[in-house]
Amino acid sequence: MSDNARLALLELLSRGSLKRRRTQLDAYDALAELPWTRATGRRDEIGMVEERRAELAGLIDRVWPAWRDVLVDLVAAGLPPTPEGYGRLLDIERAAALPELPDRINRRTAASLTASHSKASLTESRRGALGGTDTSHDGAIRLRPPAGLSARTVNGVIDLGGIAAVLGEVSIPERALVDGLAFEGEMRAVLLVENLGAWRDLSPPPGWLLAHVPGWDTATVGHMLNRIQGIPVVHFGDLDPNGVRIMLHLRKRVPNLKWFLPEFWFELIDVCGLQASWPQDLELDFAPAPVRVLAARGLWLEQERIVLDPRIPEALDAALILDARDQCGFGSVEGP
């Protein structure tokens, strides 16, 4: 018997009535058919027939021998004998049994300690049980850094460009970014690339930092952008409804985010355009006319189709020429 079904018996026995809840529908319907219960006159509620209390108690004794202790604990905590109340009681018991915690733990670890399993949500009360311990998503962002770019942490300095020259890329963990990693060196711009193939195969102009931003997984890139100030940021993704949504999502974090939309890409609409259903309520007022044409024709373009085009580096540089500031050459990032 499930916990929710046992709690239905406990509520009926301790309160004399049981409310109908989505999480206890089967138990409610089964009890409503028994002669131990009666209608109360209230919608979605049944009451216990007092003359059958002994039979109900006998049933709960068989399926939940510890129910009396649980009821005492619920009453002592001021909690109701419901799924929500019982869940809160278990949270309180888990919080009381927490081991000594470090300054930061992964959010899955935190959930496994304060909730029923590692994929449970970290509610406000569960976070409160952690005290001063922070939780982290522990993502990592894959970068293709330009030559000469380094990263500094409290543990030292590392040449990111040198690592990439050997391995082709570097990976920066979220914790390093949150703990104050600083980029040092010259950087012309940052390019956020949605798809892995496009990110890996694209040839950028000198001085560009390429970051892989897989779809909606933007938490770690947000931490990275917090460590980069005064450097233009450009986004390059698929031209489909989801790609537009991702662009809108990223613009909330980077209001001056530029959208990489080279003219030669749209020359492929009739040749490479793929069928797509564009929602009527998708915000497109901010989008250039060619994107709105795609939507009107029910088509989309994938970014991989143009990543090897030799015009890409020049088009990326052209995307920055919006004002005099962008034409002043390389900017630099330095640690605090």
Side-chain angles (χ1 to χ4, degrees), residues 27-308:
Y28 182 94
D29 291 342
L31 287 169
E33 295 295 323
L34 294 176
W36 305 345
T37 63
R38 57 175 176 78
T40 64
R42 298 186 182 90
R43 185 178 179 182
D44 293 333
E45 183 183 86
I46 55 176
M48 180 182 63
V49 176
E50 280 297 330
E51 292 77 7
R52 312 302 290 268
R53 176 179 289 273
E55 293 166 275
L56 183 60
L59 174 59
I60 197 171
D61 277 335
R62 291 195 299 274
V63 300
W64 201 2
W67 70 269
R68 290 179 177 83
D69 293 334
V70 171
L71 184 58
V72 168
D73 292 340
L74 286 168
V75 171
L79 297 169
T82 63
E84 293 76 14
Y86 185 60
R88 180 68 185 118
L89 177 65
L90 294 179
D91 281 355
I92 292 171
E93 292 175 347
R94 282 187 286 260
L98 283 176
E100 184 176 351
L101 298 175
D103 292 337
R104 180 184 296 123
I105 57 176
N106 181 273
R107 63 170 307 278
R108 298 295 191 191
T109 304
S112 71
L113 292 172
T114 61
S116 56
H117 53 81
S118 65
K119 293 181 175 58
S121 60
L122 278 176
T123 62
E124 184 176 350
S125 62
R126 290 168 182 169
R127 289 185 183 276
L130 299 172
T133 295
D134 292 328
T135 61
S136 59
H137 179 269
D138 280 322
I141 185 164
R142 296 173 68 174
L143 303 177
R144 291 176 58 198
L149 188 68
S150 298
R152 179 184 295 276
T153 74
V154 295
N155 297 314
V157 180
I158 191 166
D159 180 4
L160 300 179
I163 294 174
V166 176
L167 301 180
E169 64 181 77
V170 297
S171 178
I172 306 293
E174 175 188 326
R175 295 197 190 197
L177 294 165
V178 172
D179 288 340
L181 178 147
F183 293 101
E184 297 180 347
E186 294 184 334
M187 190 188 311
R188 181 167 177 76
V190 177
L191 181 65
L192 312 179
V193 186
E194 179 183 345
N195 296 330
L196 180 61
W199 170 79
R200 201 62 190 83
D201 294 333
L202 185 146
S203 295
W208 282 66
L209 170 68
L210 270 61
H212 180 220
V213 185
W216 293 101
D217 189 8
T218 60
T220 307
V221 73
H223 292 302
M224 183 200 75
L225 293 175
N226 289 338
R227 311 309 303 169
I228 298 174
Q229 302 295 327
I231 304 296
V233 182
V234 182
H235 177 64
F236 178 34
D238 288 329
L239 292 183
D240 62 359
N242 206 43
V244 171
R245 292 188 186 97
I246 292 170
M247 176 65 185
L248 286 167
H249 173 70
L250 289 169
R251 283 185 69 187
K252 292 179 180 178
R253 179 174 287 274
V254 189
N256 61 345
L257 180 67
K258 300 170 178 62
W259 202 357
F260 183 52
L261 300 170
E263 292 183 5
F264 60 82
W265 195 3
F266 295 100
E267 296 171 1
L268 302 176
I269 291 178
D270 292 329
V271 178
C272 302
L274 303 170
Q275 294 293 318
S277 177
W278 290 73
Q280 293 294 321
D281 60 350
L282 182 62
E283 182 183 341
L284 290 174
D285 291 343
F286 79 103
V291 176
R292 297 197 297 271
V293 169
L294 274 175
R297 294 181 60 181
L299 298 173
W300 72 282
L301 294 171
E302 58 182 359
Q303 63 177 159
E304 287 87 352
R305 183 62 179 78
I306 64 168
V307 293
L308 298 181

Side-chain angles (χ1 to χ4, degrees), residues 7-35:
L7 286 163
L9 290 172
L10 181 60
E11 182 177 358
L12 182 60
L13 184 65
S14 63
R15 287 184 160 180
S17 63
L18 173 66
K19 294 184 180 298
R20 189 174 189 269
R21 299 182 182 85
R22 182 181 56 82
T23 56
Q24 296 173 305
L25 287 180
D26 290 344
Y28 182 94
D29 291 342
L31 287 169
E33 295 295 323
L34 294 176

